[in-house]
Amino acid sequence: MRLINVEAFLARERLIIEEKRVDCQAKILKFCDDGATEYAILSHRWIEEQEVDCEEIVELAKMDVIRRRGGYQKILRSCEQAEKDGWKWLWVDTCCIDKRSSAELSEAINSMYRWYENAKVCYAYLHDVPDSSFPTARDLERYSKSNGWPEWFSRGWTLQEMIAPRDVQFFDKDWHFIGDKRTLAPALVDITRVPEDILTDGLSGDRPCVAQIMAWAADRTTTRVEDRAYSLMGLLDVNMPMLYGEGKKAFHRLQLEIIRTSNDQSIFAWSCNTENVQTGSILADSPSFFRDCSSMELMDHDEFIERFKDYIPEEELPSIEKDRFGVFPITNRGIQIWLLFCSFPGSHSVFQAWLPCRSGPSRPPVTINLALWKSDYYRYALPGFHPEGPLQFRQVYLRYQDAPMHRNATHKIDDGAITKNGFTYCGAYPLEFTGNALTLTSTNPLCVKVYSNSQANRRFAVGLGQCFGQDWIHVVSEEPGSPITWQPSWEDYARAEYEKMLFRTPEHVQSMDRARSGAERYGRVCVLQTRLPQSTWTVHTSCVVWKSSKMCEVKFEVFSYPGFGNVSGEWSGLDVDGADGPDCDNRGLMICDCPRKWQGNYWLLVDGISAKYSEASDGIKLGDYGYFSDSTRFCCEGNIFAHSESLSSKTNITPRQHVISQKGGSQRDSDYVNAWRDRHVGSATKLYKPFGLSLPSNDDFKSLLTSLSTRLTNRYLVTRVIQCLPDPCQPGSSITTPLCSIAKPFLWHLNEGAGSLSEERWGDELRAETKDQTGVITVDAMKL
């Protein structure tokens, strides 16, 4: 270590004051062995632009300016105190480390605890204490920026500088002695939360657990975020290289180094902030997460197992060996560890685990909550739930990497169709979420919207959330009971459902993730059907994420009819064409599950977007519905537009028109367009002045599909056609329909296997069920 020669420094200062010639060759700094040299050391609060560095203390350039700095005066007064106490050498961090050398800086930080520990005396300079009495009571008016105590007690580095030396002497701003660590120990306990035996005897005896040491630093700050980790290395007896610029990763690296050298599981005992629910790494982001761990202590293995003896099958007890608890290696997948845990009621993804440590004598073991995501376990925050089920002792992988995070997700919500069916929007929780454009963040990851129908005595909640880098949506209905006016307010209902959805978030995410993974090839269109219990009401939710903007469009609708016999409450990922095109089925109305022959092998550009078509049968028309024979021939049974006559004249089910052009290459003759077949075939069909028609994708058309769903269960529908004008080169030709696309309406698919109802029976059952449940007869106006 580099030390200040106290005698040489003071001699130079006297020559400067006396305006005598200064010997430039006199060595102020010298390298010494900290183990063989007796020296004093300074602990202080750095003041920006006032400190003196290594280069300035050695060279005499601008000495008049340097000597006026507060940092120089600290060094001078420290030297005077050291000379008075009989010490020849002094270490001051500002000038005894050449910070121009990253190697020297890293060596100093890794050695600093030892340097303070080996010092004969430490001078703790409290620059903001104005008088010669040590402050023993919090003064928020005088020390408003440092929690009511002198600023020295709020800094990260001064924690080890207080604990490591045996003799710490405190001085006020005028360098008057105001007490030492041993005599002031009771007051220091109240200020720092460090136990008195640690203040008087240091860490040489029984070292406290990791969580307790972290707790001492929970409210301390540093100028650089990385120093919150680096300043704890000596206290935790680990070493690691400095990487300024890594941010909070420094504290993650510190914890991993501790795990590599220790089997102390209290490192996982930090507290989640349940107000801002976070799901992520098993490692804490900063010492602040350990604020509640100041009384944490490790538990003896036998005592820990004894607490669970009655809950663990007797034959499994021998397998819970000490070495399993004492070894948890770090792998590229996560921290491999054996844990005692059990699941929460009704959940297969959220667990509570017990750690062999406790927050004080005679207290129960500490628990942490874990969420399972793709075979690994993440730390999870849960308010107010208790686990149930059998206790398990299992080896798991705890992820120390951060959970996958996307940028803030924005949902564009369309719930206009709900209000058309007698439901009203009550409000959202948290209350700051308003409007139809909802942005979710890591601190606000969930919003619950509530809808109700007072006449039908029905209420349901919609949750829109984000977790593991994934957006999710879930619909839950209140069980019918007393009239809504006698039930809890919608705010209380929303708050209760908010907490429940937080608890089930990992499962909601996985449900939607499974649906999306099956639809990625065609886009990310997902549909959810939720049957309101003991009623004919069904909530239809469709969701599409646009590839270009990552905007999530969500459509909510409510229908009252006795269909949807196979509603499972699970998300379905739909194979739809052109997720970003103008002909996109972004409502998820159609499923492309027709036989392979009819899945299309002709390519065209529809309004500039690539689309795939099949060869059409003679006489086929847009809106034809039917089934496929064993020979995969489409057998038409009727046309959907023939059923639209019963709809209101104000409804809009007009087919959409599209511009058709050739895919790839240029069109030499603008009147003809080539429909190219799949590459392995290598041929094309020539089309004369083609134009495209497709079914609409709006509420009116959705209502038509709904009204037909119980009659046309499991039928297929012609959703798009390419038509050509009469070719002048072929006399007598007429408008033709050479290409088409056939799909199955999702609404019709839902009733597959549930059996269809006749029109008369359908109407009778709807009337009966509606009257039984609501007391009011309501009949769908769009009956066949």
Side-chain angles (χ1 to χ4, degrees), residues 560 646-648 707 762 766 778-784:
S560 177
S646 60
L647 296 177
S648 169
S707 66
W762 178 85
L766 173 60
T778 56
V779 180
D780 197 319
M782 294 169 292
K783 58 184 179 181
L784 298 183

Side-chain angles (χ1 to χ4, degrees), residues 296-307:
M296 192 70 65
E297 63 181 27
L298 298 180
M299 294 182 66
D300 177 74
H301 172 270
D302 294 334
E303 180 185 4
F304 178 68
I305 297 302
E306 186 66 26
R307 282 186 170 268

Side-chain angles (χ1 to χ4, degrees), residues 369-388:
N369 297 325
L370 302 173
L372 178 62
W373 174 250
K374 296 185 177 179
S375 75
D376 293 326
Y377 291 80
Y378 291 85
R379 188 67 186 268
Y380 192 58
L382 274 180
F385 284 91
H386 301 284
E388 294 180 357

Side-chain angles (χ1 to χ4, degrees), residues 37 61 103-104 106 110 117 147 190 418 507 525 658 722 773:
T37 306
E104 183 173 335
S106 179
N110 276 278
E117 187 177 37
N147 200 28
D190 293 336
I418 290 182
E507 293 169 38
V525 180
H658 307 283
I722 300 294
Q773 297 302 324

Side-chain angles (χ1 to χ4, degrees), residues 44 94 101 254 258 455 528 624 674:
H44 64 110
T94 56
S101 168
L254 175 70
I258 294 169
Q455 185 180 23
L528 173 69
D624 283 350
N674 285 324

Side-chain angles (χ1 to χ4, degrees), residues 415-466:
D415 57 2
I418 290 182
T419 58
K420 292 180 181 179
N421 285 276
F423 280 78
T424 58
Y425 170 58
C426 300
Y429 180 84
L431 297 179
E432 60 264 25
F433 288 132
T434 58
N436 289 331
L438 171 65
T439 299
L440 299 172
T441 66
S442 59
T443 54
N444 288 309
L446 173 60
C447 173
V448 173
K449 290 176 170 282
V450 176
Y451 300 86
S452 69
N453 184 323
S454 57
Q455 185 180 23
N457 190 22
R458 287 289 179 269
R459 186 161 61 182
F460 67 92
V462 175
L464 300 104
Q466 183 189 56

Side-chain angles (χ1 to χ4, degrees), residues 207-427:
R207 182 180 291 269
C209 68
V210 169
Q212 185 180 157
I213 295 175
M214 295 285 198
W216 303 340
D219 296 317
R220 292 175 176 258
T221 60
T222 57
T223 303
R224 300 288 296 268
V225 64
E226 296 87 353
D227 284 336
R228 295 200 74 184
Y230 303 157
S231 62
L232 290 170
M233 292 192 301
L235 290 166
L236 295 163
D237 197 24
V238 296
N239 296 97
M240 65 183 194
M242 308 298 102
L243 296 172
Y244 282 103
E246 64 177 329
K248 71 175 186 179
K249 289 183 179 180
F251 193 65
H252 285 185
R253 282 202 301 128
L254 175 70
Q255 293 168 88
L256 292 176
E257 288 299 326
I258 294 169
I259 292 171
R260 289 188 179 96
T261 60
S262 167
N263 61 2
D264 186 340
Q265 291 191 27
S266 74
I267 197 170
F268 307 125
W270 50 272
S271 299
C272 281
N273 181 352
T274 54
E275 293 180 359
N276 294 325
V277 178
Q278 298 177 357
T279 299
S281 170
I282 191 64
L283 304 178
D285 285 345
S286 75
S288 300
F289 286 64
F290 291 88
R291 184 174 286 108
D292 299 329
C293 298
S294 57
S295 299
M296 192 70 65
E297 63 181 27
L298 298 180
M299 294 182 66
D300 177 74
H301 172 270
D302 294 334
E303 180 185 4
F304 178 68
I305 297 302
E306 186 66 26
R307 282 186 170 268
F308 301 98
K309 206 168 185 181
D310 295 336
Y311 305 98
I312 303 173
E314 187 174 350
E315 62 273 12
E316 292 186 16
L317 284 173
S319 66
I320 307 178
E321 303 166 354
K322 288 185 179 181
D323 58 347
R324 283 185 172 178
F325 274 111
V327 179
F328 38 99
I330 299 170
T331 72
N332 59 353
R333 179 177 170 183
I335 299 170
Q336 186 179 5
I337 189 171
W338 286 85
L339 288 176
L340 275 172
F341 67 95
C342 69
S343 61
F344 282 85
S347 173
H348 302 290
S349 301
V350 182
F351 305 86
Q352 188 169 88
W354 283 263
L355 303 176
C357 56
R358 57 192 174 196
S359 58
S362 303
R363 296 296 300 274
V366 170
T367 62
I368 59 173
N369 297 325
L370 302 173
L372 178 62
W373 174 250
K374 296 185 177 179
S375 75
D376 293 326
Y377 291 80
Y378 291 85
R379 188 67 186 268
Y380 192 58
L382 274 180
F385 284 91
H386 301 284
E388 294 180 357
L391 202 62
Q392 306 174 54
F393 184 59
R394 188 191 304 174
Q395 187 181 62
V396 298
Y397 287 89
L398 303 179
R399 292 286 290 183
Y400 58 85
Q401 301 89 340
D402 285 334
M405 291 296 295
H406 286 175
R407 62 182 177 86
N408 293 347
T410 300
H411 294 76
K412 185 178 179 181
I413 301 169
D414 181 1
D415 57 2
I418 290 182
T419 58
K420 292 180 181 179
N421 285 276
F423 280 78
T424 58
Y425 170 58
C426 300

